[in-house]
C-alpha cells in the first residue's frame, strides 16, 4: 500500500519560531548575567576599598580609641570611599556583626548594595537585579613577637655571640633573617637561651657556644616590622642646643626633648635627667660613660650621625634607668638610628642598669655587652646585625608594654 509523503507546510517555521524564543531567552540571560557579574566585581572592589579606608583610620586612632570608632572617623572614611566608587548605599559595622571577627576591636565590616537594570532579560521578569558585596578588614597595632630580630639577609654571623657569659630571652623567639649556613655564630663559649631560634639559613648555627632552645631553620625571612614608621622629623622639634652638649664633673643636668646639634656626652661623675620625649642627635651621637647616673623615663634617643664615630654608646658604671615612650607612634622604642646609617650602637649593662624598650637600627649593628649579673638590657632588638659579648648574665625582657608594635591593615574577609 502506498503511503502519502506530501510535505506538511509550516512545520519548520513553527519549530524555528519556538527555538528562537528559547535561544533569545538564553541569550538574554547570558548578556544580563555578564553585566551582573561585572557589577558584582565592581561592588566587591568598592567594599574592599571602603573597609581598608576605615581600617586605616582605626589604626591611626588606635592610641585614642583602642580599635573602637570613637569619633566616627572610620565609618565616615568607609562611607566616603564607597560613594566615590559609585555606591551610596553602604552599611558599616565597627566591630563586625557577622562572621569569625564578630565583635572584635580593630575590625570593620562593610556591605555595599545597588541594583542593575535589566536589558534583554526583561522577557523573563520585571524589576532591577540586586547587587551586594561584603568585606571585612583589620586596622590595628600588633605586637612584634621577637626578642631579637636580625635583618641582614646574607651575612655569616649576622647574630654573633663572642662573650663567655649568658643571654636569655623569654617568651618570644630570636629571629635571624640571614640565609648563611652559619647565620648565628657563638665563638666565646657563652650561652644563648630562647624558646626558639627562627633562622633562614641551614643549619643556621655554628661555633663553640651553646644555643638553648629549639632551632627552627629554613624559615622565610621576616621584613622589617618597623619599616612603616616615618623617620622622626627634626624640623618638628624644638632646637635645644646649637652646639655639642657636655655634662661632666659632679653636675646633674636636666634636659628637655628636642634637637641637640653635635649630640650629647655625659662623662665622669656627671648625671643627667632626661624628661619624657624624643631627643634627636643631629650629629655627634649620644654617649653616656663614667660613674654618674642617667634617669630617662618615656624617652627615645634618635641618632642621626654625621660621621662613622657619631654613635650611641651607653656603658657607664653608674645607675641607669631608661624606658621608652608609652604613647604615640614611637611607643615602646627607646633607641632609634636613622635608616641610612650603618653605624654601631654600643650598649653595655652593669648591676645598676635597668633599660627597657626596643633598640632599632635598620642598617646598623647593635653591640650589646653584659657584665655582672641580673642585667636587663632592653626589651627587644631589631637591627641589621647584632653582636653580643661580655662575661656576665643579661636578659632581653620582652613585654607587650615596653616593646615596639607593627602596623596591620589588611583584608581578612
Amino acid at each position: 500500500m502506498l503511503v502519502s509523503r506530501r510535505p506538511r507546510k509550516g512545520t519548520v517555521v513553527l519549530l524555528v519560531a519556538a527555538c528562537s524564543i528559547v535561544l533569545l531567552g538564553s541569550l538574554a540571560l547570558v548578556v544580563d548575567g555578564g553585566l551582573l557579574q561585572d557589577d558584582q566585581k565592581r561592588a566587591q572592589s568598592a567594599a574592599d576599598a571602603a573597609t581598608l579606608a576605615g581600617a586605616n583610620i582605626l589604626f591611626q586612632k588606635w592610641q585614642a580609641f583602642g580599635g573602637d570608632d570613637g569619633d566616627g572617623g572610620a565609618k565616615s572614611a568607609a562611607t566616603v570611599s564607597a560613594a566615590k566608587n559609585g555606591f551610596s548605599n553602604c552599611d558599616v559595622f565597627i566591630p563586625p556583626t557577622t562572621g569569625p571577627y564578630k565583635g572584635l576591636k580593630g575590625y570593620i565590616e562593610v556591605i555595599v548594595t545597588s541594583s542593575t537594570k535589566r536589558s534583554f532579560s526583561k522577557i523573563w521578569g520585571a524589576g532591577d537585579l540586586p547587587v551586594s558585596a561584603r568585606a571585612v578588614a583589620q586596622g590595628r597595632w600588633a605586637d612584634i613577637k621577637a626578642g631579637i630580630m636580625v635583618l641582614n639577609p646574607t651575612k655569616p654571623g649576622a647574630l654573633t655571640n663572642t662573650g663567655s657569659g649568658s643571654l636569655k630571652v623569654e617568651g618570644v623567639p630570636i629571629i635571624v633573617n640571614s640565609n648563611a649556613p652559619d647565620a648565628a655564630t657563638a665563638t666565646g663559649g657563652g650561652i644563648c637561651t630562647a624558646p626558639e631560634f627562627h633562622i633562614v639559613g641551614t643549619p643556621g648555627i655554628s661555633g663553640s657556644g651553646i644555643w638553648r632552645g629549639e632551632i627552627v631553620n629554613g624559615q622565610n625571612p621576616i621584613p622589617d616590622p618597623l619599616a612603616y614608621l616615618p623617620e622622626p622629623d627634626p624640623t618638628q622639634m624644638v632646637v635645644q642646643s646649637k652646639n655639642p652638649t657636655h655634662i661632666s664633673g659632679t653636675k646633674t643636668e636636666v634636659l628637655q626633648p628636642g634637637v641637640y646639634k653635635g649630640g650629647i656626652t655625659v662623662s665622669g661623675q656627671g648625671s643627667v635627667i632626661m624628661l619624657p620625649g624624643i631627643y634627636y642627635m643631629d650629629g655627634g651621637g649620644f654617649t653616656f660613660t663614667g660613674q654618674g647616673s642617667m634617669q630617662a623615663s618615656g624617652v627615645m634617643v634618635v641618632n642621626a650621625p654625621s660621621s662613622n664615630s657619631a654613635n650611641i654608646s651607653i656603658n657607664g658604671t653608674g645607675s641607669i634607668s631608661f624606658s621608652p615612650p608609652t604613647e604615640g607612634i614611637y611607643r615602646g622604642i627607646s633607641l632609634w638610628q636613622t635608616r641610612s646609617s650603618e653605624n654601631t650602637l654600643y650598649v653595655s649593662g652593669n648591676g645598676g642598669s635597668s633599660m627597657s624598650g626596643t633598640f632599632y637600627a635598620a642598617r646598623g649593628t647593635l653591640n650589646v655587652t653584659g657584665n655582672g649579673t641580673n642585667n636587663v638590657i632592653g626589651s627587644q632588638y631589631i637591627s641589621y646585625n647584632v653582636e653580643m659579648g661580655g662575661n656576665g648574665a643579661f636578659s632581653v625582657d620582652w613585654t607587650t608594654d615596653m616593646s615596639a608594635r607593627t602596623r596591620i591593615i589588611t583584608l581578612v574577609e
Side-chain angles (χ1 to χ4, degrees), residues 64-94:
F65 305 122
D68 289 328
D69 192 20
D71 61 357
K75 181 176 182 179
S76 176
T79 302
V80 169
S81 174
K84 286 182 177 179
N85 285 295
F87 292 84
S88 56
N89 292 326
C90 174
D91 294 316
V92 181
F93 304 99
I94 304 171

Side-chain angles (χ1 to χ4, degrees), residues 71-344:
D71 61 357
K75 181 176 182 179
S76 176
T79 302
V80 169
S81 174
K84 286 182 177 179
N85 285 295
F87 292 84
S88 56
N89 292 326
C90 174
D91 294 316
V92 181
F93 304 99
I94 304 171
T97 57
T98 60
Y101 302 96
K102 177 181 177 180
L104 295 182
K105 292 184 177 183
Y107 291 82
I108 175 174
E109 176 186 20
V110 173
I111 300 173
V112 299
T113 56
S114 69
S115 58
T116 298
K117 292 186 177 299
R118 293 177 182 268
S119 56
F120 295 111
S121 68
K122 288 180 179 179
I123 64 176
W124 296 110
D128 295 342
L129 299 171
V131 176
S132 67
R134 172 182 176 274
V136 177
Q138 59 179 328
R140 59 190 182 89
W141 295 94
D143 294 332
I144 303 169
K145 293 190 176 180
I148 298 175
M149 180 178 289
V150 186
L151 301 175
N152 194 316
T154 59
K155 182 183 177 182
L159 172 64
T160 300
N161 184 6
T162 60
S164 59
S166 64
L167 161 71
K168 188 174 185 179
V169 176
E170 292 187 358
V172 288
I174 291 175
I175 298 173
V176 183
N177 277 351
S178 173
N179 60 11
D182 51 352
T185 302
T187 59
I191 302 171
C192 189
T193 302
E196 292 181 338
F197 297 85
H198 294 182
I199 305 176
V200 175
T202 302
I205 60 171
S206 66
S208 59
I210 298 173
W211 304 93
R212 288 182 177 168
E214 182 181 1
I215 307 297
V216 186
N217 50 35
Q219 298 294 289
N220 292 323
I222 305 295
D224 179 358
L226 298 180
Y228 74 95
L229 280 174
E231 295 269 20
D233 185 0
T235 65
Q236 302 301 311
M237 306 177 196
V238 176
V239 176
Q240 297 290 356
S241 176
K242 295 182 179 180
N243 298 297
T245 298
H246 297 285
I247 302 172
S248 60
T250 59
K251 182 171 62 173
T252 297
E253 187 97 16
V254 178
L255 300 181
Q256 299 279 351
V259 177
Y260 288 81
K261 295 183 179 295
I264 297 173
T265 300
V266 183
S267 61
Q269 295 183 359
S271 296
V272 61
I273 298 172
M274 303 173 72
L275 299 181
I278 297 175
Y279 291 74
Y280 192 95
M281 305 297 111
D282 187 2
F286 178 86
T287 301
F288 178 82
T289 60
Q291 298 81 46
S293 65
M294 179 171 74
Q295 298 179 38
S297 177
V299 166
M300 182 172 81
V301 173
V302 179
N303 189 36
S306 55
S307 67
N308 293 335
S309 60
N311 300 314
I312 288 178
S313 180
I314 302 175
N315 59 5
T317 58
S319 173
I320 299 174
S321 178
F322 189 9
S323 65
T326 57
E327 58 184 19
I329 63 173
Y330 301 110
R331 195 215 76 159
I333 304 175
S334 49
L335 297 178
W336 175 300
Q337 182 161 274
T338 52
R339 294 189 177 101
S340 60
S341 173
E342 298 180 5
N343 283 22
T344 299

